[in-house]
Amino acid sequence: MKARISSQLTIPPIHLSPRISWDSDSLQSSPNIEATQHRFQKLKLCFARIDLLCQLAKAVQQHRGATMAFLGGEGSFEALIESLQARIETLLHLLQSMEQSPDAMNGFQAIDHIGHDWQTILRGWNSDQIMHNFEFHSHLVASVRRLLLPALNQQLAALASAAQIIPQTRAESFYPLIFDTIESLAMLRGLSTNAAVISSCGADSHTRLEYLLKLIPQMNESLQTALQSFSQQFQ
């Protein structure tokens, strides 16, 4: 008997980053108000871009897991898959619109490639083999990662320049660790959910699961060490 895997996952609405405010008195006393406003506008745009990229990575990870379960025979994931597809389309549209702003990071071509890869998945996932579907989604998450990390670093550099309190080099070291740990956990969830749905685990899935079960504790330990080292600088 196949294991019943719940597909009741609530998809939260899309929110952009919270508004960034600044002291109006300090702006009025600034020798160049327009330059200050422009700097904060770029900061807000970067926050929003990071927010959207994080949401996109999460939605693709969820779509990977849901489609793997569906391909394994769990039809209850169909509604969730459709909701995730609509969400991903919306996020990509927002990112593409954002990249047309004069203050954007010149990432339109990268977003366009991500959109093209997503359309390839969208057209063929339901006829893919499960592990091929897993690989295509994982490649797309890796593409989002390549765009997200420079945006995080740019944002950190801007904050460090404005406040002069953030040790940028230390923070940069754990940004990739955070993303990669989350992605490894998402991969583990997708593979294990698929194994539960089909009540079986092929050689390829077994090898990947075994690798992830060894890797994730090591990544977690490295992340804890990096965060601890970073936090000590503020004590």
Side-chain angles (χ1 to χ4, degrees), residues 52-174:
L52 289 173
L53 287 169
C54 287
Q55 291 188 58
L56 178 60
K58 180 179 179 180
V60 173
Q61 289 166 339
Q62 291 176 334
H63 191 267
R64 176 178 56 196
T67 52
M68 288 177 69
F70 185 88
L71 291 172
E74 189 54 66
S76 63
F77 280 82
E78 185 173 7
L80 174 59
I81 290 169
E82 290 177 356
S83 296
L84 287 167
Q85 287 172 176
R87 182 176 179 81
I88 291 170
E89 292 283 346
T90 300
L91 289 166
L92 285 170
H93 176 73
L94 289 171
L95 283 164
Q96 288 169 339
S97 299
M98 188 174 292
E99 290 304 327
Q100 296 176 9
S101 165
D103 294 325
M105 288 177 57
N106 298 321
F108 183 80
Q109 187 174 12
I111 291 294
D112 194 49
H113 287 162
I114 289 172
H116 180 269
D117 289 345
W118 163 246
Q119 289 301 318
T120 300
I121 290 173
L122 193 60
R123 287 193 298 267
W125 72 264
N126 55 359
S127 59
D128 284 337
Q129 295 181 6
I130 291 176
M131 292 310 299
H132 288 167
N133 179 66
F134 175 83
E135 291 291 351
F136 292 147
H137 281 84
S138 299
H139 173 77
L140 186 57
V141 173
S143 296
V144 176
R145 178 191 188 276
R146 286 193 293 272
L147 200 56
L148 175 61
L149 293 183
L152 284 167
N153 290 334
Q154 183 197 54
Q155 178 71 347
L156 187 61
L159 290 172
S161 174
Q164 298 182 350
I165 59 171
I166 300 177
Q168 182 183 355
T169 54
R170 292 287 184 89
E172 284 179 351
S173 67
F174 62 74

Side-chain angles (χ1 to χ4, degrees), residues 162-211:
Q164 298 182 350
I165 59 171
I166 300 177
Q168 182 183 355
T169 54
R170 292 287 184 89
E172 284 179 351
S173 67
F174 62 74
Y175 279 160
L177 273 173
I178 293 173
F179 189 95
D180 293 344
T181 301
I182 294 171
E183 168 60 355
S184 295
L185 288 167
M187 293 170 74
L188 178 64
R189 179 184 180 183
L191 290 168
S192 56
T193 298
N194 175 65
V197 166
I198 65 177
S199 302
S200 178
C201 185
D204 193 10
S205 292
H206 184 273
T207 300
R208 292 171 185 272
L209 284 168
E210 190 174 42
Y211 171 74

Side-chain angles (χ1 to χ4, degrees), residues 23-37:
D23 185 358
S24 59
D25 292 337
S26 65
L27 281 180
Q28 290 174 2
S29 62
S30 170
N32 193 336
I33 296 176
E34 289 186 2
T36 304
Q37 290 176 331

Side-chain angles (χ1 to χ4, degrees), residues 7-32:
S7 62
Q8 300 303 311
L9 175 63
T10 301
I11 302 177
I14 296 172
H15 296 294
L16 295 181
S17 301
R19 179 176 300 175
I20 302 171
S21 60
W22 55 86
D23 185 358
S24 59
D25 292 337
S26 65
L27 281 180
Q28 290 174 2
S29 62
S30 170
N32 193 336

